[in-house]
Amino acid sequence: MRILRLFALIFFSVLGLLLLTQCGSKVTNGGSDVSDNPNQEEEKIDKRKLPVNLSVFIDLSDRIAYNSIYIERDMEIVDQLVDYFIDCSYANSNLPRSKNKFNIFFYPLPSDNSVAMLAKGLNADLSVLNPGEKKDKLDELKESVETNLSQIYALAIKDQKFIGCDIWGFFSDKKVDNLCMLPGYRNILVILTDGYLYHIENKKQEGNAYSYLNGQNLMLPGTSLIVARNGLQDLEVLMLELNPKSINQFHTMQEIIENWLRGMGVEHFMVVQTDVPVNTEKYVKAFLNN
């Protein structure tokens, strides 16, 4: 009798363990069943398989008048971005099906109408072109961008109407949503700026938070940028060429901008100080290949 009882005890113990195993090892967390099976976790979208929507926002404020070296650095960066766009479009012999988009813009647009005309040569939308047209567009894109962008810089310096670059307003007024974000794309925004985010007609302050940065508020403790919106999880932001007038203010400027981007929901971002092209190139590659 004792043997039968012992046998029954062992049998039901083993059966219980088997039943627990077959249940997928579910545990209760706050009243909800949570599976520990890694194969059942929501798969993340591989952004490298998405078409590329690459936007370049260039700050045409007085930063370009101080020293021509900053224009040269801008041009080097843009050239690298054009190469990246072309390589992505040809990758895996996918050009006939490529829907990639490339766009260089300024906000606000300079008052000179010639800039608006030249800006039309800074864009490429492969989604609306047939395979032959796509190849032709990519073949002439690099030269077109270099020529037109050089002329735009020259016109901006000649005009000397440096009212600033409204980067804060571009994000806060949701212009970025319309110009730089598309569903089903890897949305990348590269901003070339000295980091002051200043525009003469859009100066706001809420306590220690501002719509701009300058030498004065960068020295004040607790300075931040006003976070006026969120929902930018599908946008990647690479901000290059930061160049505060006092080199000691770079890390403060960087931290403020990073907190602002984070507050708006941007998950993948990088804020980089101006540097020689060979060093900046490494940051650009690291960001784009992440």
Side-chain angles (χ1 to χ4, degrees):
M1 195 68 177
R2 288 181 179 176
I3 294 175
L4 288 175
R5 289 177 179 175
L6 181 60
F7 177 81
L9 180 61
I10 294 172
F11 173 78
F12 285 112
S13 297
V14 173
L15 180 61
L17 289 172
L18 288 173
L19 288 173
L20 285 172
T21 303
Q22 291 298 318
C23 287
S25 300
K26 288 188 176 181
V27 296
T28 300
N29 183 10
S32 301
D33 287 338
V34 179
S35 171
D36 64 358
N37 185 350
N39 294 326
Q40 293 179 0
E41 293 180 359
E42 183 178 351
E43 294 184 4
K44 292 184 178 180
I45 297 175
D46 186 351
K47 61 187 179 184
R48 290 171 297 183
K49 296 181 180 179
L50 296 175
V52 171
N53 179 32
L54 176 56
S55 303
V56 185
F57 182 173
I58 298 180
D59 176 354
L60 287 182
S61 66
D62 58 358
R63 75 181 185 98
I64 63 173
Y66 292 141
N67 192 328
S68 62
I69 194 173
Y70 300 121
I71 294 178
E72 295 171 12
R73 290 179 179 180
D74 282 5
M75 296 291 290
E76 290 272 2
I77 293 168
V78 170
D79 189 61
Q80 183 183 357
L81 294 173
V82 171
D83 284 340
Y84 170 79
F85 177 78
I86 293 173
D87 290 344
C88 285
S89 301
Y90 276 110
N92 301 317
S93 302
N94 193 43
L95 181 61
R97 297 179 298 278
S98 178
K99 298 179 181 179
N100 292 347
K101 299 173 184 284
F102 180 82
N103 180 31
I104 298 177
F105 62 94
F106 318 93
Y107 184 78
L109 191 68
S111 58
D112 191 329
N113 292 332
S114 300
V115 174
M117 294 298 296
L118 290 167
K120 293 180 180 179
L122 304 177
N123 307 322
D125 183 356
L126 302 188
S127 69
V128 299
L129 303 177
N130 64 45
E133 292 171 330
K134 291 177 182 179
K135 183 179 184 306
D136 291 342
K137 186 65 176 179
L138 294 181
D139 286 346
E140 57 88 20
L141 183 62
K142 196 160 186 172
E143 182 178 352
S144 175
V145 167
E146 182 178 351
T147 300
N148 289 24
L149 192 54
S150 295
Q151 293 182 48
I152 289 173
Y153 279 121
L155 286 170
I157 292 175
K158 180 181 179 181
D159 189 39
Q160 289 290 309
K161 295 180 180 178
F162 300 118
I163 59 175
C165 179
D166 195 7
I167 296 173
W168 182 88
F170 183 75
F171 279 87
S172 300
D173 297 336
K174 299 190 176 181
K175 301 287 186 183
V176 67
D177 302 59
N178 296 325
L179 292 180
C180 306
M181 299 179 67
L182 290 169
Y185 276 77
R186 181 185 179 190
N187 298 300
I188 304 170
L189 173 58
V190 180
I191 305 175
L192 306 183
T193 179
D194 56 10
Y196 286 111
L197 287 65
Y198 173 86
H199 189 266
I200 194 170
E201 296 179 0
N202 200 0
K203 296 175 64 178
K204 298 181 180 180
Q205 181 178 353
E206 297 176 4
N208 291 333
Y210 302 80
S211 63
Y212 61 92
L213 295 176
N214 61 24
Q216 288 71 44
N217 64 16
L218 281 173
M219 291 190 294
L220 299 175
T223 291
S224 64
L225 287 167
I226 299 169
V227 178
R229 52 88 51 87
N230 54 21
L232 294 180
Q233 290 81 2
D234 292 332
L235 180 68
E236 303 174 46
V237 179
L238 174 60
M239 189 176 290
L240 300 169
E241 293 300 289
L242 269 70
N243 187 33
K245 293 178 176 61
S246 172
I247 193 66
N248 296 327
Q249 293 182 336
F250 168 70
H251 291 296
T252 301
M253 176 183 280
Q254 181 187 45
E255 182 179 6
I256 291 171
I257 294 174
E258 287 178 345
N259 287 337
W260 177 58
L261 294 172
R262 192 178 292 112
M264 292 188 293
V266 180
E267 296 175 352
H268 183 208
F269 58 82
M270 186 183 292
V271 180
V272 183
Q273 189 174 15
T274 187
D275 205 338
V276 294
V278 67
N279 291 336
T280 301
E281 180 180 355
K282 296 174 183 177
Y283 287 107
V284 175
K285 283 183 178 180
F287 184 87
L288 296 175
N289 294 329
N290 188 331

